[in-house]
Structure formats: C-alpha cells, structure tokens
Amino acid sequence: RVPRRVIALGIAKMSLVYANIAAYAPPRAHAGRRTSTTSSRTRSPAPKCDVALRKARGTVVPRAVVDPAAVVPALNSKPEEFAVLEATPNDTYVDVVFKDGASFRFHALWLRDACSDPNHVVADAGERILSMLPVNTGCDANLRAASCEIDETGGRLIVTWTNHEIPSTFGAKSLRAFADVVAEPLVVGSGIPPPLAASETEWLDPFTGYPDAPGQSPSQIDYYKNEDGVVFPSYDHDAVVRDPKLKLDVMRDLMRAGAVIIDDVPENEVDSSTLHAFVDDVLGGMQKDPCRDERNWKIVKKADASSISYDPEKRLNNHTDQSVPPWGGTPALVLIMHYQKGSGCNTLVDGFKVAEDIRATDPEAFEMLTTYGSNQTRDFVSSRKDTTQALNASLCVHKREPIIQLDDAGNIVRIQYNEVFRTPLELPFDVFPKWYAAYTKWVRMLHDAKYEVEVDMQAGKMLIFHNWRTLHGRAGGKASKDRTLIGGTVTREAFFSRATELLEETAGYDMRVTGTKVK
C-alpha cells in the first residue's frame, strides 16, 4: 500500500531522544490518485525554552520546534462555523466557548495528550513524537494551562502550559467534534451540524475493526431476493476512476446493496494490471496471497479438474470466500472478479436476507446457526492444484465459526460458510440433530430460486460483492470455453482505510475519527 496522502512536513531527524522538525514539504502523491499541492513554507523561529529548567525536571528537550501557529492539520473547511470564541484556563481544566453557543470544560491533560500539531505529531508519518509525550515531559494530572490564545479567524486555539514550555495548537473544528464525547458540557449549543452528518459516515461503523463494532443496521441494508427482481448498482469503469466521489459511491453501494457491477472495463487479456489498478485506486488494494507471487487468483477451465473451481460445467454452490485470513483471522470483506475473456453466469444470494427469514420463521434454527461453529479446513495449495499460476508456499487454515455471526445487539455481522471445505463437525451429541436440521434449511434456502440471483457476465465486466454478506456461486454449464476469470479479495482494513481517505478528500472529514464516537 502506498502511504495515505497527507499535507506533509519534511523531517530532518527523529530519535527516541531528540526530534527535529524542519521545513514544510509538498505532499507525496498516490499513484493514480488526485493530490492537492501547497506552496512550501519556511520554518518559523523556535520558541525559547528554558533548557536548564527542563533538564532539572529530567525531561527531554527537542532541539528545534515548529511555531505552533504556523500549521495545524487542515481540519477547518469552514472555520467560521466552528470558531472558538473564548478559552479560559480554569485550574486543571480549560473552558472553551464555540461560535454555535456551546461551551465545554476540557481536562487540561486531555488537551495536552490529544494535541496533534507539528510539535507533537510527525505529520507525514502519522506518529507521535515520543520525546513530546506528556509522560516524558513532566505533564500529569496537575497540568494547568497558563494562557489561551485564539487566532483572528477563531479557527485555532493555542494553549501554553505552566510546566511545559512548548505550546499546543488545536483546530477549532476538530476540538468541537471531540467536545461532545470527551468534555463536560457547560452550555448546550444551537446544534450546528458537524461537517458530515453522522448518517453520512455510519455506514462505515461496522468495519472499523473495533471490538465493539456493530453489525450493519437494517436501515443501512437493501435486502434482496430473486423473486422480487434484482438490479445491482452499476458504474462505468473510466468514470469511477476519474471521480473520487464516484469511488466513494461504489463503496457505499457495495455495502448497502451487497454487490456492484463495473461496466466497460478496458480490454486486457495479457495481464492483471487493469484489475489491480482499479482495486488499488477504488477499494484500497488487493490482499496478498502468501502462497503465490501474484495478489490475484486466475481461473481457466481445465479438463478433468480436481477442484470444482476450475470445472465450469459443474454447478458451484453458493458460499462466502474463505480467502487468506488477515491478522485477526477474519475473512476478507470484499471479493472482486474480472471477466478477462469469455462469458459465464454467476449466482449471488443475500445471506443476510436468508438469515433474517430464518430468524423470523424458525428461531430455534437461527439459534443453532448463530451459536455453534461449523468446522472448515482449507489447504490453499491443494485446493489450487488445477491453477495455471505457480504456488511457492503452503498454508492450511482451520476455522470453527458459526455460519451466522451476530453483534451484542443481535444484528448480523458476518456470514461465514463454504461447503467444499467443511470438515467433521465437533458438536455435542444432543446438539447435532438440531444443528443439522438448521443447517439443511440454510443450504436449501441458499439455492432456492426464491433467493438465488443469476448474473450473466462477460469480458469487460467486473463483479464486486460484500463477502461478509453476499454468497456467490456459479451456474453449471453456462460458461464459454475461453472463460478466463481473475480476481481477489480486499481486507476490511484496506477497504476502511481507503473509504476514510476518500471521505477526507471529498468532504474534508477528519479520517482520524471516522468510525469513532466522535462525529
């Protein structure tokens, strides 16, 4: 992954002991992405610091610091709406009044710890300067603000400290957003909305990776069944690549509708570069498979294939892709396939809809499928023995997860089911009959024409689907002889990261707080 685009600071040197922050530099560009530019600036003189006093306290002194008023992360698209009107030191607190009429009391230590100006965070690395941590600079619960200054626009608050010589600078917009979560309200404001309403970002909340991340709310889902008639959102390839807002629309629609179709993909039968360029730019990059050099898989029909994946004459049952589990052992969030040559017919099923119908009609079956794990083992080399790609490592993954996985509120988080890799079940004797009856109902509903949607595909199309929700398969005997399919998976981490970048690029939203309680 190319590092995320930021307004960068040029860094001369940094160590655990000393931090030098030098002149500002233009941002580094993402390949294939739009990048804003800014003129270079000269470094302001460092504020004076009583080195002897700092040494006496046993704290570390950076050799050079940045003028705190010079640059704060660009969090103020419309600073006049979120301006700070007043700020007053008050014992171990700082009381702040905002233009919307709201006022809050912040812990002074929270402000000092949260400060992300260039004196405290290396912008182009996104890392705290360790020598400036409160714990390393004599700042504790007794920390007090010596003074508070507001710039002429009200867009920045500069706080100096009684026992710490380097000021802290805060963007008004960011401070106002955090106030609702971390500060004590003194006066309720007039309700000026944040830069993006919560509804515009809550679709990402299930994919933050936090332990308490919720499942998708039913209000954020367009459930589908074949009998109701299904038209998945579709986009023109080149239009999406050109427009950051369309990229974000693709991501939103993917999570809401369960699948998206990309039309008019440029012809490329030589390699997978077209696929990779699109996934890198729009979805955050394809997951690297440790068993081969390429990130993508490739499926070409093979006579007498051992694996059903390489024999399109046979029906492939609907399943979620197991993929190579990343750090947390969770399957990839997104799966994408590109018809490079030929044609075929894929099947899609809304696993969330099937699960909700089972919940409504057979609560006992739903309890079985959400409580007990289904054993699965995938050998990532053996299952690909029919591939034309070279495999250079072995990997065998064992899982025992419930087919339907819920959050604490009972919302569905993920479907995890792949029949071809299911192994003997480790179920208690008295549970097995009830679980197997529920499992049988599940499998039959997945392949019922009431739910299963057929999607005709041909060269020049990409099919992207939500792998935690949409199960996919293949209708047997409907593929052309030259059908060549390439594709791969996108992790939750990559998808979420790219979505926050696009939110920042298109709407000025602070990517550091996307998905948190801070709205």
Side-chain angles (χ1 to χ4, degrees):
R1 293 273 293 128
V2 179
R4 67 188 186 191
R5 178 181 53 78
V6 292
I7 304 299
L9 292 172
I11 304 304
K13 291 182 179 178
M14 174 180 170
S15 68
L16 294 178
V17 180
Y18 292 107
N20 278 334
I21 304 180
Y24 301 103
R28 292 184 292 184
H30 279 242
R33 298 183 188 168
R34 295 181 182 178
T35 307
S36 61
T37 59
T38 182
S39 58
S40 60
R41 304 173 184 171
T42 57
R43 186 178 61 192
S44 300
K48 293 182 179 180
C49 173
D50 189 337
V51 175
L53 179 62
R54 293 291 300 282
K55 286 184 176 179
R57 293 178 183 149
T59 55
V60 178
V61 185
R63 291 181 302 202
V65 295
V66 176
D67 178 355
V71 169
V72 165
L75 301 176
N76 285 286
S77 56
K78 295 182 178 179
E80 67 278 3
E81 292 184 5
F82 303 92
V84 173
L85 297 184
E86 298 179 24
T88 309
N90 182 0
D91 194 45
T92 58
Y93 312 106
V94 174
D95 295 341
V96 181
V97 179
F98 295 92
K99 188 174 181 180
D100 67 348
S103 62
F104 294 88
R105 175 163 294 164
F106 292 85
H107 287 285
L109 185 58
W110 182 90
L111 288 170
R112 174 65 179 80
D113 182 72
C115 184
S116 57
D117 73 15
N119 285 332
H120 300 84
V121 172
V122 181
D124 65 345
E127 298 177 356
R128 285 177 177 261
I129 299 173
L130 299 183
S131 61
M132 296 297 291
L133 293 177
V135 70
N136 289 334
T137 52
C139 301
D140 56 23
N142 295 314
L143 179 67
R144 287 168 168 78
S147 66
C148 297
E149 298 180 19
I150 304 166
D151 74 358
E152 60 183 12
T153 68
R156 292 189 183 94
L157 169 65
I158 302 104
V159 181
T160 57
W161 309 103
T162 56
N163 60 345
H164 181 64
E165 293 76 13
I166 298 174
S168 299
T169 304
F170 305 90
K173 176 178 170 184
S174 177
L175 201 60
R176 179 63 183 88
F178 275 101
D180 291 316
V181 178
V182 306
E184 179 184 19
L186 301 177
V187 177
V188 178
S190 61
I192 289 180
L196 286 181
S199 61
E200 293 186 64
T201 59
E202 68 180 18
W203 65 277
L204 271 178
D205 290 351
F207 315 113
T208 61
Y210 292 122
D212 59 350
Q216 284 184 262
S217 166
S219 65
Q220 295 287 323
I221 298 171
D222 290 339
Y223 297 99
Y224 65 88
K225 293 193 300 185
N226 183 54
E227 68 176 6
D228 296 333
V230 181
V231 178
F232 293 112
S234 61
Y235 291 85
D236 176 79
H237 175 278
D238 291 352
V240 172
V241 170
R242 287 192 303 265
D243 188 346
K245 291 184 178 180
L246 279 182
K247 295 171 190 175
L248 201 54
D249 287 345
V250 168
M251 301 180 95
R252 284 196 188 98
D253 278 348
L254 178 58
M255 295 299 104
R256 175 173 283 280
V260 167
I261 295 172
I262 305 299
D263 292 313
D264 297 321
V265 180
E267 182 178 345
N268 181 359
E269 298 181 2
V270 177
D271 56 32
S272 57
S273 60
T274 302
L275 171 68
H276 285 288
F278 183 87
V279 177
D280 288 349
D281 192 36
V282 179
L283 300 173
M286 198 174 294
Q287 182 181 7
K288 175 65 175 69
D289 190 305
C291 298
R292 58 176 180 251
D293 291 334
E294 303 96 334
R295 287 183 289 162
N296 63 282
W297 43 254
K298 183 175 183 178
I299 295 177
V300 180
K301 180 179 179 180
K302 181 182 178 182
D304 302 319
S306 297
S307 171
I308 193 171
S309 295
Y310 300 86
D311 186 357
E313 295 304 312
K314 297 177 181 176
R315 177 191 174 96
L316 177 61
N317 281 8
N318 296 311
H319 62 282
T320 58
D321 205 79
Q322 296 301 85
S323 68
V324 180
W327 307 282
T330 303
L333 176 62
V334 173
L335 193 149
I336 182 168
M337 57 177 66
H338 173 209
Y339 269 69
Q340 201 172 32
K341 290 178 62 177
S343 61
C345 181
N346 289 91
T347 56
L348 300 180
V349 175
D350 189 345
F352 285 10
K353 178 58 180 172
V354 173
E356 291 294 356
D357 283 359
I358 292 177
R359 191 201 309 246
T361 60
D362 193 340
E364 183 180 21
F366 187 79
E367 182 179 2
M368 288 290 108
L369 297 174
T370 58
T371 304
Y372 296 97
S374 169
N375 294 73
Q376 301 197 15
T377 297
R378 183 176 183 185
D379 184 324
F380 281 82
V381 173
S382 296
S383 64
R384 294 164 171 166
K385 66 175 297 182
D386 300 305
T387 184
T388 58
Q389 296 172 286
L391 303 177
N392 54 24
S394 62
L395 180 68
C396 193
V397 174
H398 304 269
K399 303 294 292 182
R400 186 179 62 209
E401 305 287 347
I403 291 175
I404 305 170
Q405 298 163 28
L406 308 177
D407 66 10
D408 292 341
N411 291 319
I412 299 173
V413 173
R414 183 183 308 110
I415 303 297
Q416 196 165 338
Y417 168 75
N418 193 329
E419 186 64 35
V420 297
F421 300 121
R422 194 163 63 80
T423 53
L425 299 164
E426 300 176 80
L427 295 172
F429 182 83
D430 58 335
V431 169
F432 173 77
K434 292 181 286 186
W435 185 93
Y436 208 84
Y439 154 79
T440 300
K441 173 173 285 190
W442 166 260
V443 175
R444 287 175 176 168
M445 290 175 71
L446 290 183
H447 300 93
D448 189 325
K450 177 180 178 180
Y451 294 97
E452 185 181 67
V453 179
E454 290 193 349
V455 181
D456 292 322
M457 295 290 292
Q458 59 270 343
K461 284 183 176 287
M462 291 179 181
L463 179 60
I464 312 171
F465 41 90
H466 182 346
N467 189 51
W468 291 3
R469 170 187 170 187
T470 295
L471 296 93
H472 68 284
R474 181 186 64 226
K478 294 187 177 182
S480 63
K481 293 181 179 180
D482 63 342
R483 174 180 177 266
T484 301
L485 194 59
I486 58 176
T489 52
V490 178
T491 64
R492 178 206 63 77
E493 292 81 358
F495 182 90
F496 183 81
S497 175
R498 185 62 181 131
T500 58
E501 289 176 351
L502 289 168
L503 281 168
E504 185 176 59
E505 180 179 357
T506 60
Y509 197 67
D510 184 0
M511 62 191 298
R512 294 169 300 172
V513 300
T514 305
T516 70
K517 296 177 181 178
V518 178
K519 300 298 182 185

